[in-house]
Each structure stands twice: as structure tokens, then as C-alpha cells.
Amino acid sequence: MSFAIGSLEGLPHARSLCRHIRLPGRRPGGYACAMTDKPENRRYHDMGGLPAGPIENEDHEPDLWEKRVDAMMVCLGTSAPDGKRLITVDEIRRVIEDLPPDAYDTMSYYERWVHSIATILAERGVYTPEELDAKLAEVKARSKQQAGEGAAQ
Amino acid sequence: MSRFAPGDKVRVLADFTRPGHVRTPWYCRDKAGVVERVCGAFRNPEALAYAKDGLPELPLYRVRFAQRELWPDYRGGADDVVEIEIYEPWLLPAEA
């Protein structure tokens, strides 16, 4: 689906604002698994016990767009009066787990959420990928126009 | 009804190829542990992940593993453990 990762372009500064919550790089020094370990079958996200390097414990203030993604997820995951909801956390995880290793390592926490939400809503028919692409183009054009007006003042 | 009770010895399925969304970590599969508590019954996340209703609810257990059972070259204390919450279909009874 064309909107998967590229859709982040619609979010101003998404890439630069959240790079500090990336996963640390893999480093040697973890524990070996037992005889049953068959690395070729292990899915990439299922990394418990693998070398991962130091953990970054620094807090950071969430950016506005990250708060919006969080709020959107809460709304989509809350049941309507009829008991139905548009997204479960299990679906969110499933889509994130299906990311290719490169994307899994380089996307930030909320970038992965946005990717997952966008995918699930398309799966559930809330919008078509074409509709999402059109909306993103519209938002992008608006941001560009606003930036232009800001520069002119 | 839950199949296991606190104190029961269990072994996690040696299933390393199950496709799709799986909530049982790779590193505890085919490992032996002890049921620490029954957490209750919950919808199956392996079905919820694909927009299914996840019913019937499955018993969920907190299982305690010795770190040395999980990692043969573990360098910490012999008493160190890790507890993992695992759904009933992933567990088999283990010999005492």
C-alpha cells in the first residue's frame, strides 16, 4: 500500500521530531538461546534476550503530533455504545510486527503507530488508500502554503 | 475452567513456526516453568489481531521460569526468575 510509510510526509516534521525514541542498535553481548532456538524462524520483532545495547532512560516531552496520534488511538480503540470499535491494540501490534526489519528499526514509536492506524483503517474500509493519499496531498499543500505565508510576513 | 492451578509444572509448546500474531515470546517456547497464578480469562489476542472477536475467552497464566532454564549461559544468580503471562493453548503439563 502506497500510503504505508510515505504517509508520514503529511505530518509536519514527523521524522525530525521523534528520532529520539528509536530502538537502540543491536550489539553483541546477549545470552545464547537453548538448542531449540531456530533463528531462521524467529520473527524480527520477537527480540527478547537478543543483544540490544544500553537502554536510554531519558524522559522527553511528547511532541504535539505524538499527542494527537495517542489521542486518535484512544478514540479509535474505545467501544461505541453498540460495543463496536475500529481498532484493537492486538491489531496495532500485528501490523507493527509485520514491518520489515529496516522500518522496524528506523521508525520511531509513534511513527509505527501512525503506520499501523493508517493500515488498519484501510483494512476495515474506513477509507480507501486513494482517499488517504488525496487527503495527505491536501494537507501537504496547505502546510506548504502556510509556510510560504509565514515567510512572506 | 482453567486446566492448570498455581504450583503446576508446565512446558510451553515447542511451536517455532506459528504464523501471524503470537503473544508467546520466542525465548520461552519449549521451556519448563511453574504456574505462579491464574490471571483470569481473556479474549484470544491471536484472533483479535485480525479483527475477529477472540471468543471464547482463554485462561491466562502467569508462569515463572528460572533464568537458567531460559538462557543456558545465564551469568546471574541461580534463584533469578522471569514471569511471563501465557495463554492456556500454549501450555502442556510437565512431569514433576
Side-chain angles (χ1 to χ4, degrees), chain A residues 72-150:
Chain A
M72 190 159 57
M73 181 57 206
V74 171
C75 293
L76 293 168
T78 302
S79 299
D82 62 2
K84 289 182 181 165
R85 53 185 170 172
L86 279 172
I87 279 185
T88 64
V89 69
D90 312 271
E91 290 171 283
I92 289 282
R93 286 180 57 151
R94 182 254 304 171
V95 173
I96 292 172
E97 289 167 6
D98 287 344
L99 283 169
D102 270 6
Y104 196 94
D105 278 349
T106 55
M107 290 167 79
S108 76
Y109 185 80
Y110 281 108
E111 283 176 331
R112 283 181 258 156
W113 274 34
V114 168
H115 162 77
S116 197
I117 290 170
T119 303
I120 293 163
L121 293 181
E123 285 177 358
R124 289 188 172 225
V126 175
Y127 48 64
T128 66
E130 291 75 22
E131 286 169 336
L132 182 60
D133 282 345
K135 188 69 185 175
L136 285 168
E138 183 191 315
V139 170
K140 204 171 178 178
R142 197 171 62 212
S143 303
K144 200 173 171 184
Q145 191 190 353
Q146 284 166 351
E149 286 167 4

